[in-house]
Amino acid sequence: MATSTTENRPALTPAVRALLGGLRGWIRCYVWFEGLTTAATWLGVAFWASLAIDWFFEPPPVVRALILVVIGLGLAVVLFQLIGRRAFVRLSDGNMATVLERRFPHFGDGLLTAVTLTERQADQSECNLELLAQTCRETAGRIGKVRLREVFNPRPLCRSGVAALLLAASIVAFVVLFPEQSSVWARRNLLLDKDLLWPRNTYLIVEEGLFKDGVAKVARGADFEVIAKADTSWPVVPRVVQIRYRNEGGGRGRVTMNRLGTARQSGELFQKYSHTFQGVLTPIRFDVLGGDARISDLRIEVVENPTLVEMTLECKYPRYMNRTAKTMPVTGSMQIPRGTEVTVRARSNKELVQVRIDTAADGQSSSPHVLEKNDLNANHRNFRYTIASLDNDIKLLFTLCDTDGITGRDPVRLSLDSMADAAPRLTARLDGIGQAITPIATLPTMGKVTDDWGIADVWYVTTLQGLKPAK
């Protein structure tokens, strides 16, 4: 039986092995080049997209951070898909031979056969070694016609390379030509600076005092006027200023604000613009835009109007009436005996910071009485107001201001009618006798005494001719 040894076993020639190794290197270079240029293209597109978004919308830091996360995740996906999954894969000689056989049919499967059998170190029992050696020699003779660059399709590489080059050149040109804007982009989008804004030709603000931290509160159903002001010392004073709003129900819209006068002609520092949201019932978010300026994420919150939900009167009557003090709820116009000390006790539906009480008596108004926050009860909802002596008809107007800065639209009215104490009314007549009597007759008298608030004492006086009246 014939046996084979290592010395006479067929093997690939060095030229064939060099060809296979060269193809392996070309493939890895292709993978790396395509992956890196695609990654560069992604970063270039991401730069211009983030620049456009930040320029036009100036999103808050949390949105810019989210954009950075999306860019980072996209870069990771590109690198993993195009490089990580392909650049480190084992490329065997058999894989390389298969690629070459498909691209160069003149090998006639000889290259793949030679590589496969020599890798397995086939012996006489598996194949004819002489034929294998002949195949190896023929394969070596055919490699002269092989150009490895013809294995690859250059178009994808050209596209990704040109795209990456153009984007990189555009970014470099932007940085060189606009260094200030480049610095702003870097600080806002890489460092997430929350205070820095893009350079502007227009300076736009809303009226001071309307908004606190971007939020204004309005009583339900009330009108709310927004005043925007453009600084006339800046290069551009916009002719048109818009409000773009969205309400709680998802509705969106835009309105043009009314331009108030012409500030530059009148020499004023600010050009004003006005718009009134009428009958606000639901919360509204809106932006104010004019020129290249934008005031974003202003909010109108709807709160309840401050009003009185309970009101009572404590009455201390004049002494002569001999009546105990009384507390009664307010029901419309209240009729109170003249001279009564009246204390109004009231409770509001919200915490208050001020109560203004206007008084009108006999058609004449007096100076208002103001209760500040310290004058209210500890819960800042209850208060009282005392009239030492109700001598005239009085109308009280209670104007409430709550902790939301809302002043009641309509004052709460209270009318106190001063009831004068009329003289007692007496009806009397002789009972059972006529006008003529004997000297010793009895004079029976009967009658009725009435009064508004009760009778403390009743007496009568008689007068005899020539004598003083007797009680």
Side-chain angles (χ1 to χ4, degrees):
M1 179 180 297
T3 60
S4 62
T5 63
T6 303
E7 288 75 11
N8 58 17
R9 181 177 294 115
L12 298 175
T13 64
V16 174
R17 291 194 178 278
L19 177 66
L20 298 175
L23 178 59
R24 187 181 293 108
W26 273 84
I27 291 176
R28 295 198 186 280
C29 289
Y30 188 101
V31 169
W32 276 96
F33 185 82
E34 182 184 28
L36 292 177
T37 54
T38 303
T41 301
W42 165 254
L43 291 177
V45 171
F47 168 80
W48 289 112
S50 65
L51 177 64
I53 293 172
D54 200 39
W55 174 267
F56 287 108
F57 302 105
E58 286 191 332
V62 62
V63 176
R64 285 177 266 150
L66 182 60
I67 292 174
L68 272 183
V69 171
V70 171
I71 294 174
L73 290 176
L75 180 63
V77 170
V78 169
L79 294 176
F80 176 74
Q81 292 290 340
L82 299 183
I83 297 178
R85 292 183 58 186
R86 301 192 299 173
F88 304 103
V89 174
R90 180 179 177 273
L91 302 176
S92 65
D93 288 343
N95 300 135
M96 300 300 97
T98 301
V99 173
L100 291 172
E101 288 278 5
R102 291 179 179 176
R103 184 64 184 84
F104 303 103
H106 68 272
F107 280 114
D109 294 334
L111 177 59
L112 182 58
T113 301
V115 170
T116 301
L117 294 178
T118 55
E119 279 187 345
R120 290 168 47 191
Q121 297 184 354
D123 55 22
Q124 190 69 39
S125 63
E126 296 180 277
C127 64
N128 189 306
L129 297 182
E130 291 182 3
L131 291 177
L132 177 59
Q134 178 64 27
T135 301
C136 291
R137 288 192 296 274
E138 291 177 356
T139 299
R142 295 171 182 167
I143 65 175
K145 301 179 181 180
V146 175
R147 298 292 181 269
L148 290 180
R149 68 184 63 180
E150 297 178 8
V151 174
F152 302 94
N153 180 8
R155 292 181 180 178
L157 286 187
C158 290
R159 285 196 297 266
S160 61
V162 170
L165 184 62
L166 291 177
L167 286 168
S170 66
I171 294 173
V172 171
F174 177 78
V175 172
V176 172
L177 297 175
F178 305 100
E180 181 181 357
Q181 288 81 353
S182 302
S183 174
V184 172
W185 175 86
R187 290 174 59 186
R188 284 181 55 84
N189 292 272
L190 300 180
L191 303 180
L192 302 178
D193 194 317
K194 65 180 181 179
D195 299 320
L196 181 65
L197 297 176
W198 285 95
R200 294 284 194 268
N201 290 318
T202 300
Y203 181 68
L204 199 64
I205 59 174
V206 293
E207 186 75 48
E208 296 179 1
L210 290 179
F211 294 87
K212 181 179 181 181
D213 298 328
V215 178
K217 295 182 179 180
V218 61
R220 187 179 304 278
D223 297 342
F224 184 80
E225 183 182 23
V226 179
I227 301 292
K229 300 190 296 185
D231 194 329
T232 58
S233 64
W234 284 57
V236 177
V237 176
R239 294 183 59 83
V240 175
V241 174
Q242 278 191 343
I243 287 180
R244 298 180 183 177
Y245 65 89
R246 53 270 184 203
N247 57 35
E248 190 177 53
R252 294 176 176 268
R254 62 179 65 188
V255 293
T256 299
M257 303 184 74
N258 297 321
R259 185 182 176 112
L260 307 179
T262 306
R264 279 185 168 172
Q265 293 181 1
S266 59
E268 297 180 9
L269 178 59
F270 289 101
Q271 173 63 57
K272 294 184 178 181
Y273 309 82
S274 169
H275 174 71
T276 300
F277 291 96
Q278 297 192 1
V280 181
L281 297 175
T282 59
I284 298 174
R285 289 178 177 267
F286 66 96
D287 304 329
V288 180
L289 299 90
D292 60 0
R294 182 187 189 107
I295 306 174
S296 300
D297 200 27
L298 298 174
R299 289 180 292 157
I300 301 175
E301 292 187 355
V302 178
V303 298
E304 294 301 325
N305 197 61
T307 188
L308 297 180
V309 295
E310 183 181 353
M311 183 183 292
T312 59
L313 301 182
E314 290 184 358
C315 300
K316 293 182 179 179
Y317 301 104
R319 284 187 176 182
Y320 76 88
M321 295 181 65
N322 197 26
R323 296 181 64 183
T324 58
K326 183 179 180 180
T327 300
M328 65 186 77
V330 173
T331 55
S333 180
M334 303 296 293
Q335 295 183 344
I336 308 296
R338 183 167 296 175
T340 300
E341 178 185 311
V342 180
T343 300
V344 181
R345 292 186 179 271
R347 178 169 60 88
S348 69
N349 61 333
K350 302 175 67 178
E351 291 189 13
L352 304 176
V353 295
Q354 187 184 83
V355 178
R356 170 178 168 149
I357 305 172
D358 292 280
T359 305
D362 294 335
Q364 296 183 349
S365 299
S366 58
S367 300
H369 182 78
V370 178
L371 299 177
E372 301 294 347
K373 191 172 184 179
N374 293 334
D375 300 322
L376 307 177
N377 285 21
N379 61 7
H380 299 145
R381 292 194 178 195
N382 295 67
F383 65 90
R384 66 178 182 176
Y385 175 68
T386 299
I387 301 172
S389 178
L390 185 65
D391 298 323
N392 302 285
D393 294 347
I394 292 179
K395 295 186 183 298
L396 301 176
L397 300 179
F398 298 90
T399 302
L400 312 179
C401 182
D402 63 24
T403 53
D404 291 323
I406 303 298
T407 299
R409 289 183 295 170
D410 299 315
V412 179
R413 299 173 179 270
L414 173 61
S415 295
L416 300 178
D417 296 338
S418 174
M419 299 293 295
D421 188 4
R425 293 175 293 279
L426 170 65
T427 59
R429 62 183 175 81
L430 295 173
D431 185 23
I433 63 173
Q435 296 296 322
I437 59 173
T438 62
I440 60 173
T442 300
L443 301 177
T445 304
M446 64 179 299
K448 182 179 181 180
V449 181
T450 59
D451 188 72
D452 295 337
W453 312 111
I455 302 300
D457 193 11
V458 178
W459 70 95
Y460 68 94
V461 177
T462 58
T463 303
L464 296 179
Q465 185 174 5
L467 299 177
K468 292 183 179 179
K471 183 175 178 181

